[in-house]
Amino acid sequence: MPDSIFGRRPLRRLAVPGVSNAGYFADDSMIRRVMRKRAVGLTYGQRALVVGAVNPLLYVGTAEHTAHRTTPYTRLAITGRLFEAVALGTKAEADRARSYTDKKHAKVHGALPEDAGAHHPAGTGYSAHDPQLMFMTMAFTFDSAEVMHDLLVRRLTATEREDLYQDYVYWGELFGMPREAAPASYPEFRRYFDGYLDSEELYLTDEARLVGSYLAGQQVPYPLPLPLNQVVNSVHLLVQGSLPARIREMYDIRWGRREELGFRTLSRAVRTAHTSVPLTPRVLHGTLAGPSAPVYRMLGRREKELVGSGRPSMPGVDPRSHAERHAV
């Protein structure tokens, strides 16, 4: 997708003027309203990584330049904190996250070591500063936030959907994405992105399949302590059920009547809790909103404990292999 295909539009400045602790987005902006919902925050990141792994350039570019190759939840926790800092934090917090990301991205460039489908032969180059890949990162993130909000909170109106999309385009710009790399409107984006998901460009490398299956809950090597285990199992079910059928098939995720019934029951219960707050037990009110990074930090600590004890965090992965071959 050439950078110029979507044309240019002016940046949207959404920060509150004259307020020193304001962020880049107004407090009532759609991105803040959506990302404050913990049901979205706990699910959109995993979903975005699982779906995004079908883009070989994005997946390999990230995997080859991370110190957390065998600990995906640690990587997810770090990414989640960075994304939340820009969307929900003050300008100072957002700028620190952007600076950290810029330094990491400066090292991310290379070429595919082997063929990754007909559209991505060995030697195809990638770079974190490629406008198309920056847009695709934004696209997977926005799509997952939109899908999980519709599923677990309520369906957005057409106006809200457009506003949320424009917020995410600006969010992408804050991370360095050129504005012209993204479609000008939500309908244009949806036509392009849905077409991409139906195209022959999608491809899972062996490692992407392994990591994506792990994040989607297909491969859990060791049980987690209660109640964390229940929370994680619920998130896995919601993520799996929210995936396009084609993506589930690519991961060989078994999905029958029992799984669909459990998914619908759980998603309906979460949505009801959001739409019937006055009827929801008061003890649960605080769990409906707030940052989600603490939960991912707990999962990250679990991964580190496993790797530190010499056990793999994921089935089929040697915890020493990444340190030996990809030390950063």
Side-chain angles (χ1 to χ4, degrees), residues 115-299:
D115 290 346
H119 292 267
H120 305 96
T124 302
Y126 60 80
S127 167
H129 293 136
D130 180 342
Q132 167 67 1
L133 293 183
M134 297 178 90
F135 162 67
M136 291 306 296
T137 299
M138 185 281 289
F140 287 122
T141 305
F142 162 71
D143 174 68
S144 287
E146 176 196 18
V147 167
M148 299 316 294
H149 188 279
D150 279 355
L151 177 67
L152 300 177
V153 182
R154 64 171 176 82
R155 287 193 61 80
L156 298 167
T157 66
T159 299
E160 290 173 332
R161 210 173 295 279
E162 182 67 42
D163 287 346
L164 180 63
Y165 172 69
Q166 296 298 336
D167 283 354
Y168 262 101
V169 172
Y170 181 38
W171 175 88
E173 290 180 274
L174 291 171
F175 278 110
M177 182 194 77
R179 178 62 183 84
E180 61 270 21
S185 68
Y186 172 77
E188 291 176 73
F189 165 83
R190 184 48 61 193
R191 284 193 295 272
Y192 173 83
F193 191 71
D194 289 349
Y196 171 78
L197 292 182
D198 286 337
S199 75
E200 296 304 313
E201 293 186 49
L202 276 56
Y203 185 85
L204 281 175
T205 66
D206 289 341
E207 182 179 340
R209 187 185 305 278
L210 173 67
V211 173
S213 295
Y214 171 59
L215 288 173
Q218 285 294 96
Q219 303 185 60
V220 182
Y222 308 105
L224 294 165
L226 294 173
L228 186 58
N229 189 60
Q230 293 173 314
V231 173
V232 171
N233 287 340
S234 296
V235 168
H236 286 157
L237 181 62
L238 292 172
V239 169
Q240 290 178 20
S242 73
L243 296 174
R246 183 186 180 190
I247 303 296
R248 282 201 298 263
E249 291 170 4
M250 291 179 71
Y251 281 106
D252 295 322
I253 294 175
R254 184 182 65 185
W255 197 257
R257 290 184 179 179
R258 191 174 86 173
E259 289 78 14
E260 181 68 21
L261 177 60
F263 164 70
R264 290 187 180 185
T265 301
L266 179 58
S267 59
R268 188 181 302 117
V270 176
R271 190 165 55 249
T272 298
H274 283 91
T275 56
S276 306
V277 171
L279 303 178
T280 303
R282 184 174 299 275
V283 70
L284 296 179
H285 287 185
T287 68
L288 300 180
S292 305
V295 175
Y296 288 120
R297 280 200 295 270
M298 286 191 291
L299 294 171

Side-chain angles (χ1 to χ4, degrees), residues 68 70-71 73-74 214 221-225 228 297-314 319:
H68 305 289
T70 60
T71 51
Y73 277 106
T74 300
Y214 171 59
Y222 308 105
L224 294 165
L228 186 58
R297 280 200 295 270
M298 286 191 291
L299 294 171
R301 284 197 296 269
R302 175 66 171 173
E303 286 181 328
K304 290 180 180 178
E305 291 172 0
L306 292 172
V307 174
S309 67
R311 293 181 291 173
S313 57
M314 297 179 289

Side-chain angles (χ1 to χ4, degrees), residues 10-27:
L11 295 178
R12 303 178 75 236
R13 299 298 181 188
L14 301 177
V16 180
V19 180
S20 61
N21 66 343
Y24 282 97
F25 296 93
D27 197 52

